[in-house]
Amino acid sequence: MFARSLWSNRDFSVFWAVQALSEVGNAFSLVALPLLVLHTTGSAAQMGLLTAVAGATALLTGLVGGSWADRFDRRRLLMLCDAARLVLYGAIPVCWALNPQIWLLYVVMALASVFETLFRITYVTAVANLVDKEQIVAANGRLEATNAIAYIAGPALAGVVAGFFGPTAAVAVNAGSFGISLVGLAFIRLRPTVRSSADEAENKAARAQDLRSGFRVGAAFLWRTPVLRALTLLLTVTTFLSLGMTDVFIYHLRHGLGQDERTVGYVLALAGLGTCLAAAATAWLRRSWGFGPCWLGAMSLCSVSVLVLGGTGQVSVAAVTICLYSFGMALAGVCSMSLRQQVTPDHLLGRVTSAFWTIHGSLAPLGAALLTALVGRLGTRGPLTAVAVVFLAVVVAAAFTPIRQRQPEQTAVPLPQTRPTDAPLPREESHGDDAEARR
């Protein structure tokens, strides 16, 4: 029996199309919101504070978002997130047309970050409910490819719209994109979430307890599954260094190589092209090479690219290395996400995804601040050489873990435990320190 083509999967095709349009809207916000803040206040520091507020609410949402994605109807949850963001972002141009209020941006960004985080967690679980297991890698590759294209075209289009009609018009386009996604989601069907017999047997009190302990449930599954445990630990290291890399790229091009803003834009567009190519090639590479060689090769490519970038004085070489770095990061990322979707039971996927993102991204803001501070003080060569060495060390460490296997999804069996992962904790065990950092 042959697996059906993704092109024949109507529900996935609709999901893919509306999410592509929605991501273009998200990309608009990369340009529109900073321009709006600067236009209103003249202060770049205000945007940094706004980002910090959004990050704090995303942190809190990540601790419980996985439980919501596993417990509630996923399609309705996605639609709720789109509807909320449509209203929130739509309020900005309306307010600015009447009486601009900077405090509104803080309220909107804080609340929108909650729904953005919840949407992205549920988005991952929805893909697993739209396609067959053997199609997950190809589906993720297609979604990542269109997302990358959106983040090439979106900022450029946002700049044009903001230039002709003002930043609030670009924000309105962003709001409208969530409306398109909302309508599209109304026309798709997700397969029912598969739940274990123990999960179905829980009473209302147990379900409430599970919502509170959802992060712990997801983290426990990651820890008990050797390949996911290794990925989580090693990606915590790489994400610590990689979050600030875009800032480093821009600094290197502008100050290290003396290029203007237009050249910076072209090079970053080329980085987006690298992401597109990786997303398009991931399914074929995964089938041909297997997971381990793909992931190890991708991270090795990142290491070499960063090393060459730190030592080059030519913009053409810098552009190629940044493109290769983006290719490697995207290839490793799609492989990692697809593996997690393949080995995680459907009824746990939201909680596991939430825990995975929270843990491996928990130190990323600190890493971005540290890396950019070092680059500003020392230049790019030394810090980027150190990043390259750390990436190479991650590759060597991964070679001694289940990550090296060609098909770890076939052997990724969680280690036994004394209590089901989604059972509520006994009363005497529930007083520990459950505070977790989040990306």
Side-chain angles (χ1 to χ4, degrees):
M1 181 174 167
F2 295 98
R4 62 171 176 162
S5 167
L6 274 180
W7 294 108
S8 66
N9 187 329
R10 172 195 166 278
D11 291 322
F12 175 77
S13 296
V14 173
F15 181 81
W16 175 44
V18 297
Q19 292 314 308
L21 293 173
S22 181
E23 285 300 324
V24 172
N26 274 334
F28 261 63
S29 66
L30 292 178
V31 173
L33 287 174
L35 286 177
L36 184 58
V37 172
L38 292 175
H39 183 267
T40 305
T41 67
S43 170
Q46 287 273 14
M47 193 61 229
L49 184 56
L50 198 62
T51 301
V53 169
T57 55
L59 167 65
L60 297 175
T61 307
L63 297 176
V64 297
S67 294
W68 294 344
D70 286 337
R71 290 305 180 200
F72 301 120
D73 183 280
R74 289 169 176 171
R75 184 176 71 97
R76 291 181 180 179
L77 200 55
L78 290 171
M79 293 175 68
L80 171 64
C81 293
D82 276 336
R85 290 183 292 175
L86 168 62
V87 172
L88 288 168
Y89 283 106
I92 294 176
V94 172
C95 175
W96 252 249
L98 299 174
N99 184 21
Q101 298 290 336
I102 193 66
W103 62 263
L104 178 68
L105 295 182
Y106 287 91
V107 174
V108 168
M109 288 299 291
L111 294 176
S113 179
V114 171
F115 292 104
E116 173 73 15
T117 303
L118 182 57
F119 184 93
R120 293 201 174 276
I121 293 171
T122 311
Y123 172 99
V124 172
T125 67
V127 172
N129 292 148
L130 281 169
V131 302
D132 300 328
K133 275 192 175 291
E134 60 270 18
Q135 296 176 320
I136 284 178
V137 177
N140 284 331
R142 189 176 297 179
L143 288 165
E144 287 300 314
T146 50
N147 290 350
I149 293 172
Y151 277 89
I152 295 174
L157 292 174
V160 172
V161 171
F164 279 102
F165 305 106
T168 54
V171 175
V173 172
N174 186 28
S177 71
F178 296 124
I180 294 173
S181 177
L182 174 63
V183 173
L185 289 171
F187 289 94
I188 69 170
R189 292 174 298 173
L190 299 181
R191 297 169 185 166
T193 302
V194 179
R195 303 188 186 279
S196 67
S197 57
D199 191 65
E200 291 292 347
E202 287 179 343
N203 56 33
K204 291 182 179 180
R207 287 180 185 274
Q209 171 66 20
D210 188 69
L211 285 172
R212 292 192 296 269
S213 63
F215 177 87
R216 187 165 58 244
V217 170
F221 184 86
L222 290 172
W223 184 257
R224 292 187 304 106
T225 308
V227 65
L228 296 184
R229 179 174 65 217
L231 277 171
T232 304
L233 293 175
L234 292 177
L235 283 175
T236 300
V237 177
T238 60
T239 308
F240 176 79
L241 297 172
S242 63
L243 184 62
M245 287 300 291
T246 299
D247 295 329
V248 175
F249 294 159
I250 294 173
Y251 181 88
H252 184 60
L253 291 167
R254 287 285 287 124
H255 296 277
L257 302 181
Q259 301 301 310
D260 58 19
E261 289 83 356
R262 183 180 301 176
T263 302
V264 171
Y266 292 153
V267 172
L268 292 183
L270 190 60
L273 177 62
T275 302
C276 290
L277 293 174
T282 297
W284 178 81
L285 290 173
R286 176 75 185 275
R287 286 194 303 269
S288 302
W289 295 0
F291 176 84
C294 276
W295 198 90
L296 295 173
M299 294 309 303
S300 298
L301 179 62
C302 291
S303 176
V304 173
S305 300
V306 170
L307 182 64
V308 174
L309 176 64
T312 186
Q314 300 180 11
V315 66
S316 59
V317 176
V320 172
T321 56
I322 291 173
C323 180
L324 292 175
Y325 172 85
S326 298
F327 181 96
M329 276 293 173
L331 175 58
V334 175
C335 284
S336 172
M337 180 169 63
S338 301
L339 177 66
R340 192 172 65 255
Q341 290 168 316
Q342 289 171 325
V343 305
T344 304
D346 190 46
H347 72 285
L348 289 176
L349 186 54
R351 283 166 285 184
V352 171
T353 297
S354 179
F356 181 80
W357 286 352
T358 299
I359 294 170
H360 88 71
S362 59
L363 300 178
L366 175 61
L370 178 61
L371 179 61
T372 52
L374 289 174
V375 166
R377 186 178 183 85
L378 304 174
T380 56
R381 180 187 293 269
L384 287 182
T385 300
V387 170
V389 171
V390 173
F391 280 178
L392 182 60
V394 166
V395 173
V396 173
F400 292 92
T401 72
I403 292 174
R404 70 178 183 275
Q405 298 173 4
R406 285 177 56 85
Q407 296 179 314
E409 66 274 12
Q410 295 183 357
T411 58
V413 179
L415 299 174
Q417 59 174 15
T418 58
R419 169 169 46 85
T421 57
D422 49 359
L425 287 172
R427 184 177 298 275
E428 62 270 21
E429 294 181 17
S430 62
H431 299 290
D433 180 9
D434 296 330
E436 298 285 351
R438 189 189 183 279
R439 176 177 168 182

